[in-house]
Amino acid sequence: MKLGFLTACLPESDLTDIAHWAASRGFEALEVAGWPSPDDRNHIRVDRFDDAECSRVGRIFAESGLTLSSIAYYENNLHPEAGPQVNAHVRRCVDAAAALGCPTVGTFVGRDPGLSVHDNLKRAADVFGPLVEYATRHGVEIVIENCVMKSWHPDGYPGNLAYSPELWEWMFTLGLKLNWDPSHLVALGIDPVAALTPYIGNIAHVQAKDTQILPGRIDRYGFHGPISGEKGWYRFRVPGLGQVDWTRVIDALHEGGYDGVVSVEHEDAVWSGSTERVQTGLGIAYRTLRHLVRG
């Protein structure tokens, strides 16, 4: 295994600077943000990917010695209006990944909130069938993060239909793989290790994020959280500052034969607000995981 992080937490930094800092701190891989402009999470300019951009990114990874583990573009592929544009950008991410020798592209299944889950799954099969076929022809796998994305539904229901093992099994029938993140399972009352173990062979990438349960808040709001816009009963933290048992998680990955990248996804509000604070948060994650993620 190799230890890395997702660059989206440093949108103000250039990829060269991120790679230099990551390598100097002992990280071995980067999962690189590839959103289109005007989004500033675009450390790889997939929306204008040409020979010069390919050479630039390739040179950064060659000089730093880091592994490019995935190109990240996490948007709603089933959005009723924007879906086709999202699908098209996923294809551009696949093109860039193939040119750079990157094995995976990460995205969300998403959801049309105006349709039932059953109808969404039928639409998803029609959308992802061609995307998976396109990626396969280019030697790239599409990986789906198991994030709930409640903010994508007006009533706070799951907005990304990839949140449970039941839905993972459905995704695998389409040829999709999993970018497995234990933090979202904690927030659903699912034991991450119990959910992980049967599916390790379908995991092509791992994200490392933690979940902190906020004492007493679930007694006011219940499992589904507040309707008032207030903070809910949990929040995301960097690994080591929440409830995830990282020793059990990484041990289960080792035992199951996973030998890919474990990529820290920094969404910790405590360690945000400046480049220095984000880097401190990444350092906490590194110290938590380094002795577990053995190369």
Side-chain angles (χ1 to χ4, degrees):
M1 281 192 227
K2 293 182 178 180
L3 182 59
F5 63 87
L6 172 58
T7 66
C9 60
L10 293 165
E12 72 289 344
S13 298
D14 180 81
L15 182 59
T16 301
D17 295 334
I18 294 172
H20 175 77
W21 182 87
S24 71
R25 296 308 191 275
F27 286 100
E28 300 155 302
L30 290 176
E31 177 186 4
V32 180
W35 274 259
S37 297
D39 198 304
D40 54 8
R41 295 170 295 175
N42 55 16
H43 294 115
I44 290 178
R45 293 308 308 268
V46 175
D47 53 352
R48 60 183 194 199
F49 193 80
D50 55 16
D51 290 343
E53 178 68 353
C54 186
S55 296
R56 180 187 76 90
V57 176
R59 184 169 57 252
I60 290 169
F61 279 89
E63 292 174 352
S64 66
L66 297 172
T67 294
L68 173 56
S69 67
S70 192
I71 296 179
Y73 173 58
Y74 287 91
E75 292 292 351
N76 188 349
N77 279 276
L78 301 184
H79 192 281
E81 287 87 35
Q85 291 94 330
V86 174
N87 308 156
H89 194 72
V90 170
R91 288 177 182 256
R92 288 192 286 271
C93 289
V94 168
D95 293 337
L100 291 164
C102 175
T104 68
V105 166
T107 191
F108 287 139
V109 172
R111 178 179 187 162
D112 181 341
L115 298 177
S116 68
V117 171
H118 179 72
D119 288 340
N120 267 283
L121 297 185
K122 288 195 295 185
R123 275 201 63 220
D126 293 336
V127 167
F128 279 96
L131 287 177
V132 169
E133 192 275 334
Y134 186 81
T136 300
R137 282 195 284 111
H138 287 75
V140 175
E141 292 186 307
I142 296 178
V143 294
I144 304 294
E145 184 188 349
N146 55 293
C147 182
V148 181
M149 292 305 296
K150 294 189 292 183
S151 62
W152 282 356
H153 195 286
D155 295 321
Y157 300 141
N160 174 39
L161 298 178
Y163 55 85
S164 69
E166 179 184 21
L167 286 163
W168 303 347
E169 292 173 357
W170 161 78
M171 291 188 335
F172 301 152
T173 67
L174 303 180
L176 295 165
K177 294 298 181 78
L178 190 60
N179 189 5
W180 184 77
D181 183 336
S183 66
H184 303 297
L185 297 168
V186 173
L188 289 170
I190 297 174
D191 176 2
V193 173
L196 161 71
T197 303
Y199 303 106
I200 290 179
N202 297 101
I203 295 172
H205 200 266
V206 170
Q207 285 184 333
K209 187 163 74 262
D210 219 328
T211 301
Q212 179 184 17
I213 306 301
L214 302 175
R217 297 184 69 87
I218 197 170
D219 297 326
R220 170 170 173 77
Y221 300 120
F223 178 80
H224 294 291
I227 62 171
S228 58
E230 298 179 42
K231 289 191 298 184
W233 55 272
Y234 65 87
R235 62 179 178 174
F236 294 125
R237 305 299 307 273
V238 293
L241 300 180
Q243 268 66 46
V244 174
D245 186 337
W246 291 102
T247 299
R248 288 182 65 225
V249 165
I250 302 299
D251 184 62
L253 288 167
H254 277 297
E255 184 175 0
Y258 179 77
D259 62 356
V261 170
V262 176
S263 178
V264 176
E265 184 184 20
H266 186 319
E267 293 184 344
D268 188 325
V270 176
W271 292 108
S272 294
S274 69
T275 299
E276 292 73 21
R277 289 187 67 82
V278 170
Q279 290 175 338
T280 299
L282 290 169
I284 294 169
Y286 181 89
R287 291 189 293 275
T288 298
L289 298 172
R290 177 70 284 173
H291 69 290
L292 300 171
V293 179
R294 301 179 296 275

